[in-house]
């Protein structure tokens, strides 16, 4: 199938690569054309305008920063919708408010094409492996057309209702995910005086109700970040989380209620961004929160808590649990 990708940022590039690997003919377009270059070397064709992308393909996937980007990429004079689109399928995957998706779908349908809204859960690695979670808003006919492609990109596709439902679900899923990174950092700050082994501590959390799926998946990177190590390029960074939090708050306020947890994390992350940390990946947020709390990441400098003295081994007794301090010698 001839597929177009509009937006070759982190996610768009990973999705393009996945579809190339699945044997599709992939053409990409990006506002900053130079960023599409690496995909050419991996087998993609590059369109020079969004209009050309539509003209050269049957189905176009877009995954862009925000509603302003969607507006520009679809509706500008050389945008995706500036050429004949009758009969084409658009799959819109950005994380935005439901109204942005509904408005776009209405425009696309007026021009005789179909749209499926499918924001995704999962980051660059799952996108490369076809293991995203697709949160779909669409009518049944449009979804039937998109289904084979979505199956190649996602390990699970959830049809939540008409266009707008996918965006609502995506904002809902990202709320506890983002709040978790701040909360886990605060939990790490609380445990700091114990001077426990970091990797063991993170691993323990993955087995308690204080852990989450994202911690299970990224425990090793979180532990490395907490010991001050590099973990490679950011995939879902603090600035992207701020954008998502702002979007959630706007959506809730438009519906007449507040999101106090999201609001307070946004305020904390705005401070982090102002201090130059907007580009850090989620796995580094706990380490940032520990340092922000005035604590050191260096275990050797952590004072031992008087409330938690070393456990004296009982003579003759077999240890019945692993210890974050290591086995008694
Ligand atoms: N990163 C993740 O883990 C993740 C996971 C799930 C969903 N998402 C969502 O997926 C979307 C893309 O995320 P990403 O991480 O791939 O972001 P990214 O790497 O920053 O890429 C953003 C893309 O949007 C384009 N763009 C931004 N503003 C534009 C405008 N005004 N006009 C035209 N193009 C514009 C950028 O083009 P330029 O290169 O020219 O700037 C780039 O192609 C976001 O909605 C994000 O919330 C991200």
């Amino acid at each position: 199938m001839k597929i177009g990708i509009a937006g070759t940022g982190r996610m768009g590039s990973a999705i393009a690569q996945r579809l190339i690997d699945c044997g599709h003919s992939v053409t990409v377009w990006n506002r900053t054309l130079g960023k599409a270059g690496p995909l050419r070397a991996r087998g993609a064709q590059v369109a020079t305008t969004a209009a050309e992308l539509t003209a050269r393909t049957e189905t176009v996937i877009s995954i862009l920063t925000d509603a302003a980007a969607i507006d520009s990429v679809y509706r500008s004079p050389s945008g995706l919708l500036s050429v004949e689109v009758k009969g084409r399928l658009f799959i819109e995957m950005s994380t935005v408010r439901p109204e942005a998706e509904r408005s776009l779908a209405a425009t696309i349908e007026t021009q005789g094409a179909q749209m499926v809204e499918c924001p995704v859960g999962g980051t660059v690695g799952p996108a490369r492996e076809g293991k995203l979670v697709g949160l779909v808003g669409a009518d049944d006919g449009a979804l039937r057309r998109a289904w084979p492609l979505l199956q190649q990109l996602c390990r699970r596709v959830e049809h939540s209702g008409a266009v707008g439902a996918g965006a609502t679900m995506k904002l809902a899923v990202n709320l506890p995910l983002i709040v978790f990174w701040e909360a886990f950092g605060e939990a790490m700050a609380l445990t700091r005086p114990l001077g426990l082994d970091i990797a063991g501590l993170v691993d323990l959390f993955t087995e308690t109700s204080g852990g989450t799926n994202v911690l299970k998946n990224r425990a090793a990177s979180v532990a490395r970040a907490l010991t001050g190590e590099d973990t490679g390029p950011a995939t879902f960074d603090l600035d992207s989380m701020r954008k998502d939090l702002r979007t959630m708050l706007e959506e809730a306020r438009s519906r007449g209620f507040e999101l106090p947890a999201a609001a307070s994390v946004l305020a904390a992350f705005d401070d982090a961004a102002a201090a130059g940390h907007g580009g850090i990946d989620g796995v580094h947020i706990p380490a940032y929160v520990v340092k922000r709390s005035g604590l050191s990441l260096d275990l050797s400098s952590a004072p031992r808590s008087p409330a938690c003295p070393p456990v004296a081994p009982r003579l003759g007794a077999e240890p019945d649990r692993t210890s974050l301090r290591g086995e008694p010698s």
Side-chain angles (χ1 to χ4, degrees), residues 4-313:
I5 310 281
T8 57
R10 288 168 292 209
M11 292 298 283
S13 294
I15 286 170
Q17 186 64 60
R18 167 71 181 166
L19 293 174
I20 292 167
D21 294 346
C22 289
H24 294 286
S25 163
V26 173
T27 304
V28 299
W29 171 81
N30 197 55
R31 175 181 61 174
T32 311
L33 268 183
K35 288 198 202 161
L39 283 163
R40 193 199 299 272
R42 294 191 225 128
Q45 298 165 64
V46 179
T48 51
T49 63
E52 186 190 328
L53 186 75
T54 307
R56 284 167 58 170
T57 55
E58 301 158 310
T59 295
V60 174
I61 296 175
S62 56
I63 183 150
L64 303 156
T65 305
D66 54 18
I70 290 180
D71 210 38
S72 164
V73 169
Y74 278 86
R75 294 183 169 108
S76 74
S78 59
L80 293 172
L81 300 178
S82 66
V83 291
E84 176 61 57
V85 297
K86 202 161 191 284
R88 284 197 164 70
L89 176 66
F90 293 88
I91 302 177
E92 211 307 296
M93 293 187 151
S94 317
T95 303
V96 291
R97 284 181 61 187
E99 187 46 39
E101 300 287 11
R102 281 194 287 265
S103 155
L104 179 64
T107 307
I108 286 175
E109 281 160 26
T110 309
Q111 292 187 221
Q114 288 178 300
M115 180 181 128
V116 166
E117 162 206 40
C118 185
V120 290
T123 185
V124 171
R128 284 290 299 271
E129 293 164 15
K131 291 186 178 160
L132 296 166
V133 174
L135 301 164
V136 168
D139 65 41
D140 289 346
L143 179 54
R144 246 192 306 278
R145 276 183 79 185
W147 192 257
L149 210 47
L150 295 183
Q151 290 298 312
Q152 290 181 324
L153 294 174
C154 303
R155 66 182 163 82
R156 177 172 179 164
V157 178
E158 200 65 34
H159 187 194
S160 304
V163 171
T168 305
M169 284 300 299
K170 173 63 181 168
L171 293 178
V173 166
N174 272 23
L175 196 161
L177 161 67
I178 295 173
V179 168
F180 171 76
W181 285 125
E182 167 69 23
F184 186 66
E186 293 176 16
M188 290 298 98
L190 280 176
T191 63
R192 211 66 195 150
L194 305 180
L196 300 173
D197 168 68
I198 287 295
L201 188 58
V202 174
D203 181 61
L204 174 64
F205 264 75
T206 67
E207 294 208 28
T208 72
S209 305
T212 55
N213 281 344
V214 75
L215 190 63
K216 283 192 178 79
N217 292 335
R218 308 205 62 194
S221 296
V222 173
R224 282 207 305 281
L226 278 164
T227 48
E229 288 174 52
D230 184 28
T231 59
T235 55
F236 185 31
D237 61 33
L238 189 134
D239 278 341
S240 303
M241 294 184 196
R242 290 168 63 223
K243 184 269 290 181
D244 285 2
L245 288 165
R246 281 194 302 271
T247 313
M248 288 164 205
L249 290 166
E250 285 165 14
E251 180 61 17
R253 283 171 191 155
S254 77
R255 289 162 51 192
F257 59 94
E258 294 292 328
L259 303 172
S264 121
V265 172
L266 177 59
F269 285 8
D270 282 347
D271 288 346
H277 302 290
I280 62 171
D281 190 81
V283 299
H284 282 269
I285 291 175
Y288 161 76
V289 173
V290 169
K291 285 194 262 185
R292 183 191 72 198
S293 309
L295 302 164
S296 169
L297 288 178
D298 178 8
L299 267 185
S300 61
S301 70
R304 297 277 169 167
S305 165
C308 194
V311 179

